[in-house]
């Protein structure tokens, strides 16, 4: 028997399912990700892109300027967020040249970073470059963070980076993102106390995902019990007005949807979000496995607007229908196959489903 709250959620989810179908036909670009580099000064066990120190071919500053020019010509840059990521984007020597150029063109931009390269001088330059938002990764207490990111001293440098940003001030939103795995679950309360003691704008928790390097570490995956504890923790702290949220991934069932984040689940890939990799490939979510069917041309040879309007078809309906499990599931209307980044494109099935775990 459904509760009144569950019945209301179900009504909302039916409406969202109808809206999702409209987005399949008429997608709305809300987030454009630029992966400035695949180089990184850390070597995280969960990295979805398997970034490393060496990297490879990267688009040049002049090529980025042309990309920004073309997109500003074809889209209203006030209608979407430019999201800068990597690798560690601050490893690019021309980082500020590129982002000052973007800001001068009217782009609203934010970034994700491991925080280790941010000091007072860099924080000031980020402010001057009109960065609006930033998310810094803190993946556990000191020892857990450094072990998980295989970076001795990484925790202290990242926390110093957060402090530099807060001392600089003037940013719209400073967020901490934490990837929770089976080995650092017990640190949630201690992390909560730390983040309540600093003036960040929000704390975003993500469960480790079965993608990239994490596939080599099944011992780090969360159990069903871990997930229930995690979502109960988030729900409890949100009730205390802590600006805490779960990441965007996965349909969580009627008990947890809208309880652990402000919105109902919808995968943004190809309907709200697109990305340009450091080599120029046009993809949807950067965490999605990069393969021919998930790559839609290259920005050096293809017009982004044309690709946005005519490409991404694999993410605009039909993905879940390739899976016998998903196609026959009564939750399909609400889930639509789940998060596209955890889809197994060889087996045509979802690697991560909360059916029979949470609901």
């Amino acid at each position: 028997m459904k509760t009144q709250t569950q019945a209301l959620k179900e009504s909302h989810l039916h409406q969202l399912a109808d809206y999702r179908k409209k987005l399949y036909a008429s997608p709305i670009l809300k987030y454009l990700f630029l992966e400035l580099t695949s180089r990184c000064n850390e070597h995280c066990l969960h990295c979805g892109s398997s970034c490393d120190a060496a990297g490879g071919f990267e688009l040049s500053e002049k090529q980025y300027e042309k990309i920004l020019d073309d997109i500003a010509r074809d889209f209203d840059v006030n209608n979407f967020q430019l999201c800068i990521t990597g690798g560690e984007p601050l490893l690019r020597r021309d980082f500020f040249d590129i982002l000052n150029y973007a800001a001068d063109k009217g782009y609203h931009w934010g970034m994700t970073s491991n925080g280790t390269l941010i000091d007072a001088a860099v924080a000031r330059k980020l402010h001057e470059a009109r960065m609006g938002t930033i998310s810094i990764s803190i993946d556990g207490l000191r020892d857990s963070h450094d072990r998980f990111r295989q970076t001795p001293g990484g925790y202290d440098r990242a926390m110093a980076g957060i402090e530099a940003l807060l001392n600089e001030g003037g940013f719209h939103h400073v967020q901490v993102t934490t990837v929770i795995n089976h080995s650092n679950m017990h640190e949630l309360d201690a992390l909560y106390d730390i983040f309540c003691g600093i003036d960040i704008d929000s704390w975003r928790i993500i469960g480790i995902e079965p993608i990239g390097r994490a596939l080599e570490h099944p011992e780090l995956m969360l159990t069903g019990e871990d997930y229930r504890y995690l979502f109960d923790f988030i729900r409890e702290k949100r009730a205390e007005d802590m600006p805490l949220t779960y990441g965007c991934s996965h349909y969580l069932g009627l008990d947890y949807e809208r309880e652990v984040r402000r919105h109902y689940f919808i995968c943004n890939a190809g309907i709200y979000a697109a990305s340009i990799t450091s080599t120029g490939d046009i993809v949807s979510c950067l965490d999605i496995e990069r393969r021919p069917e998930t790559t839609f041309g290259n920005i050096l040879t293809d017009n982004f607007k044309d690709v946005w309007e005519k490409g991404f078809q694999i993410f605009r309906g039909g993905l879940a229908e390739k899976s016998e499990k998903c196609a026959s599931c009564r939750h399909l209307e609400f889930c639509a196959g789940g998060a596209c980044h955890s889809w197994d494109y060889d087996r045509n099935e979802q690697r991560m489903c909360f059916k029979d775990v949470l609901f």
Side-chain angles (χ1 to χ4, degrees):
M1 186 74 177
K2 296 187 187 72
T3 67
Q4 186 174 6
T5 299
Q6 288 175 327
L8 179 62
K9 289 180 181 180
E10 192 169 65
S11 173
H12 291 165
L13 285 163
H14 283 301
Q15 295 176 51
L16 180 60
D18 290 339
Y19 178 66
R20 185 191 293 111
K21 292 176 183 177
K22 294 178 181 178
L23 285 174
Y24 288 157
S26 301
I28 302 169
L29 184 65
K30 288 189 175 183
Y31 309 102
L32 176 58
F33 290 82
L34 295 186
E35 179 194 58
L36 291 190
T37 181
S38 62
R39 289 175 288 139
C40 192
N41 57 338
E42 298 191 321
H43 194 73
C44 306
L45 297 180
H46 68 293
C47 182
S49 302
S50 299
C51 297
D52 57 35
F57 169 80
E58 295 175 356
L59 297 173
S60 69
E61 178 186 344
K62 290 299 181 184
Q63 287 170 326
Y64 274 114
E65 289 178 0
K66 184 178 187 306
I67 291 166
L68 293 166
D69 287 343
D70 290 348
I71 293 173
R73 178 197 64 210
D74 294 336
F75 293 83
D76 183 345
V77 297
N78 291 302
N79 290 339
F80 64 89
Q81 172 85 353
L82 187 66
C83 308
I84 305 302
T85 186
E88 171 48 55
L90 286 169
L91 284 172
R92 282 195 68 127
R93 294 182 179 179
D94 54 6
F95 174 90
F96 288 105
D97 295 321
I98 294 170
L99 272 306
N100 275 299
Y101 188 88
D104 288 343
K105 296 290 293 186
Y107 286 89
H108 304 279
W109 71 277
M111 69 180 291
T112 58
S113 170
N114 61 38
T116 61
L117 303 178
I118 299 176
D119 57 16
V122 171
R124 171 59 56 88
K125 292 180 74 173
L126 289 168
H127 190 185
E128 292 172 347
R130 288 152 284 177
M131 181 184 75
T133 64
I134 187 167
S135 182
I136 303 292
S137 298
I138 299 292
D139 294 327
L141 300 178
R142 180 178 287 105
D143 290 346
S144 293
H145 175 98
D146 291 358
R147 182 171 57 251
F148 191 55
R149 293 186 157 257
Q150 302 190 85
T151 309
Y155 175 89
D156 289 333
R157 294 200 298 274
M159 290 296 287
I162 294 170
E163 183 178 8
L165 292 164
L166 296 176
N167 287 340
E168 173 65 27
F171 304 108
H172 177 66
H173 201 101
V174 177
Q175 180 183 78
V176 169
T177 294
T178 299
V179 176
I180 287 293
N181 63 78
H182 186 65
S183 69
N184 67 3
M185 278 288 299
H186 64 286
E187 298 177 347
L188 281 168
D189 285 300
L191 289 169
Y192 175 79
D193 290 339
I194 290 171
F195 298 142
C196 281
I198 58 178
D199 193 25
I200 59 172
D201 295 292
S202 66
W203 180 25
R204 180 172 178 255
I205 296 178
I206 307 170
I208 188 169
E209 299 278 336
I211 59 175
R213 288 199 196 107
L215 290 170
E216 302 168 13
H217 298 280
E219 75 281 1
L220 295 177
M221 293 299 158
L222 297 174
T223 66
E225 182 180 356
D226 288 338
Y227 273 113
R228 286 188 290 274
Y229 179 86
L230 173 62
F231 294 139
D232 287 341
F233 172 87
I234 295 174
R235 178 162 56 188
E236 174 189 328
K237 300 307 182 187
R238 285 173 62 84
E240 297 174 4
D241 291 329
M242 169 65 173
L244 171 60
T245 186
Y246 180 62
C248 62
S249 302
H250 311 298
Y251 174 66
L252 307 178
L254 294 179
D255 285 343
Y256 289 110
E257 282 292 328
R258 278 302 301 268
E259 303 286 333
V260 298
R261 55 193 170 202
R262 293 178 59 188
H263 58 84
Y264 291 104
F265 167 71
I266 184 170
C267 185
N268 292 331
I271 57 174
Y272 281 149
S275 306
I276 299 171
T277 73
S278 58
T279 61
D281 285 341
I282 302 172
V283 299
S284 47
C285 168
L286 286 164
D287 283 335
I288 293 173
E289 183 180 355
R290 298 176 193 182
R291 17 187 322 141
E293 65 267 42
T294 62
T295 303
F296 308 94
N298 188 283
I299 199 68
L300 298 179
T301 55
D302 299 285
N303 177 266
F304 177 79
K305 184 173 185 286
D306 290 341
V307 174
W308 176 251
E309 291 177 347
K310 301 172 185 176
F312 301 97
Q313 293 307 313
I314 191 173
F315 303 119
R316 294 176 180 171
L319 185 65
E321 294 173 5
K322 297 180 180 180
S323 165
E324 185 177 338
K325 287 182 181 178
C326 288
S328 61
C329 178
R330 66 186 183 89
H331 302 279
L332 178 60
E333 181 185 7
F334 301 155
C335 173
C340 294
H341 68 261
S342 55
W343 188 264
D344 187 323
Y345 292 88
D346 289 318
R347 297 184 178 183
N348 278 320
E349 62 183 27
Q350 183 57 250
R351 290 192 181 110
M352 190 165 185
C353 176
F354 285 116
K355 182 176 180 289
D356 300 325
V357 176
L358 300 179
F359 57 91

